Amino acid sequence: MTKVKLNRIKSVLAENNSSGKDLAYHLGKTESTVSRWCTNEVQPSVETLYEIAKFLNIDIRELLISTK
């Protein structure tokens, strides 16, 4: 069974020259939690996606995989 990718957090972090460690520190989360988001093992809440988008200075939609 293939894991469905729902977010682009890992890609967007790389595009913005940021690390999961930086994001974890900014959000007050563990690096393990951010890593699980980056691998699409679990998904952050909409509120957390909003905070990630603010941290990266991007539109929240850039964090999601398009359905089209």
Side-chain angles (χ1 to χ4, degrees):
M1 185 170 151
T2 305
K3 189 185 322 181
V4 176
K5 293 186 178 184
L6 301 174
N7 75 60
R8 299 184 58 246
I9 295 171
K10 183 176 183 176
S11 301
V12 176
L13 282 170
E15 291 166 7
N16 285 278
N17 296 316
S18 294
S19 70
K21 185 176 183 176
D22 297 333
L23 180 60
Y25 178 79
H26 175 77
L27 296 175
K29 303 287 186 185
T30 64
E31 289 179 49
S32 175
T33 297
V34 173
S35 175
R36 292 174 71 203
W37 296 338
C38 289
T39 60
N40 277 276
E41 189 176 326
V42 296
Q43 301 303 317
S45 68
V46 173
E47 292 84 0
T48 302
L49 281 172
Y50 178 79
E51 292 301 322
I52 295 169
K54 281 184 15 183
F55 170 72
L56 295 170
N57 196 31
I58 61 168
D59 187 292
I60 192 171
R61 293 173 289 186
E62 292 182 49
L63 294 172
L64 302 172
I65 301 289
S66 175
T67 56
K68 292 190 177 195

